[in-house]
Amino acid sequence: EAQVTQNPRYLITVTGKKLTVTCSQNMNHEYMSWYRQDPGLGLRQIYYSMNVEVTDKGDVPEGYKVSRKEKRNFPLILESPSPNQTSLYFCASSSPRGSGETQYFGPGTRLLVL
Amino acid sequence: KNQVEQSPQSLIILEGKNCTLQCNYTVSPFSNLRWYKQDTGRGPVSLTIMTFSENTKSNGRYTATLDADTKQSSLHITASQLSDSASYICVVSRSGNDMRFGAGTRLTVKP
């Protein structure tokens, strides 16, 4: 089954404790992206990747890092989480370039930073 | 300021009724416009995608329209079902991968 998976689905952590949210897709998509969703604001892009070893900032990259060492994986790293990063996070993928193609979203990761 | 505005913010209708959701955008240049359905606690799922030259696209009981001149789109849901209860998100793309998301319309269908 074609899908985007994220782990963990739910996470409670404390300020400053590094964490990684994994994202994996099995559709051989070149394009992958991370979003955060906050009430009343809609989805906002954090980082995206056009292909392996190619990443770029989205609208709200501060406090986040990503890597794309393999085509199927695109982890989101919070080196020192803060309470304002409490949010619902979605990973998405599409092919070949993201524009004009359907994006497939993961199930979401709900993060609470205390 | 968000470049994609959706209305209404929320809507409650009775099962079997039709409804129309609105999306106005100022995004430029324009590449395409998509409507997504997002069930509570889940990721968005694509319903339709329209390019500049398309002014209507259907997906079952969902019909999207696009007026690129006035920069308006609508999503019409026919004969609503309880499973239509969800948030509906309008997404407008500029060139490449630059996408702008609306805040969504929360639809509740009651029996």
Side-chain angles (χ1 to χ4, degrees):
Chain A
E1 179 191 355
Q3 60 181 355
V4 179
T5 57
Q6 296 178 227
N7 281 293
R9 295 288 316 279
Y10 304 92
L11 180 60
I12 301 174
T13 189
V14 295
T15 299
K17 186 176 181 182
K18 180 180 178 179
L19 66 91
T20 298
V21 184
T22 65
C23 172
S24 183
Q25 50 93 4
N26 62 2
M27 295 168 278
N28 201 35
H29 285 164
E30 289 87 357
Y31 178 83
M32 297 185 75
S33 181
W34 274 103
Y35 300 89
R36 62 178 288 174
Q37 187 176 35
D38 302 291
L41 293 179
L43 285 151
R44 291 180 293 169
Q45 191 176 52
I46 303 171
Y47 268 95
Y48 64 93
S49 170
M50 300 290 287
N51 213 323
V52 175
E53 301 292 0
V54 181
T55 63
D56 210 344
K57 297 177 180 179
D59 292 324
V60 288
E62 294 78 21
Y64 304 94
K65 284 175 57 177
V66 293
S67 69
R68 188 90 182 273
K69 293 185 170 62
E70 305 165 284
K71 198 172 189 179
R72 64 182 294 128
N73 295 323
F74 190 44
L76 179 69
I77 303 156
L78 284 71
E79 293 273 4
S80 182
S82 61
N84 64 13
Q85 292 179 297
T86 292
S87 189
L88 178 58
Y89 291 87
F90 288 100
C91 179
S93 74
S94 64
S95 181
R97 293 176 57 196
S99 178
E101 300 292 333
T102 297
Q103 275 205 86
Y104 295 86
F105 284 83
T109 294
R110 191 169 291 280
L111 172 65
L112 173 61
V113 183
L114 301 173
Chain B
K1 184 179 178 347
N2 198 346
Q3 299 176 44
V4 180
E5 300 288 343
Q6 292 187 241
S7 61
Q9 276 190 320
S10 62
L11 181 63
I12 301 174
I13 62 173
L14 293 176
E15 186 179 13
K17 297 296 186 182
N18 303 335
C19 68
T20 300
L21 314 180
Q22 299 290 343
C23 174
N24 296 337
Y25 62 92
T26 59
V27 175
S28 183
F30 174 86
S31 176
N32 59 66
L33 185 146
R34 315 166 200 221
W35 283 94
Y36 283 89
K37 178 186 179 187
Q38 184 178 19
D39 292 313
T40 300
R42 309 189 79 162
V45 175
S46 178
L47 293 174
T48 62
I49 178 170
M50 289 181 290
T51 58
F52 184 88
S53 60
E54 297 173 297
N55 55 23
T56 187
K57 185 74 70 80
S58 291
N59 179 357
R61 294 180 297 102
Y62 301 101
T63 299
T65 64
L66 172 65
D67 186 334
D69 291 331
T70 61
K71 298 188 176 180
Q72 296 178 326
S73 176
S74 65
L75 180 69
H76 186 73
I77 304 175
T78 305
S80 61
Q81 300 175 358
L82 298 179
S83 59
D84 292 331
S85 293
S87 288
Y88 291 84
I89 302 171
C90 175
V91 184
V92 182
S93 294
R94 305 202 295 193
S95 56
N97 298 294
D98 187 352
M99 286 173 278
R100 303 292 161 171
F101 289 77
T105 292
R106 177 70 205 172
L107 174 65
T108 302
V109 180
K110 293 196 168 183

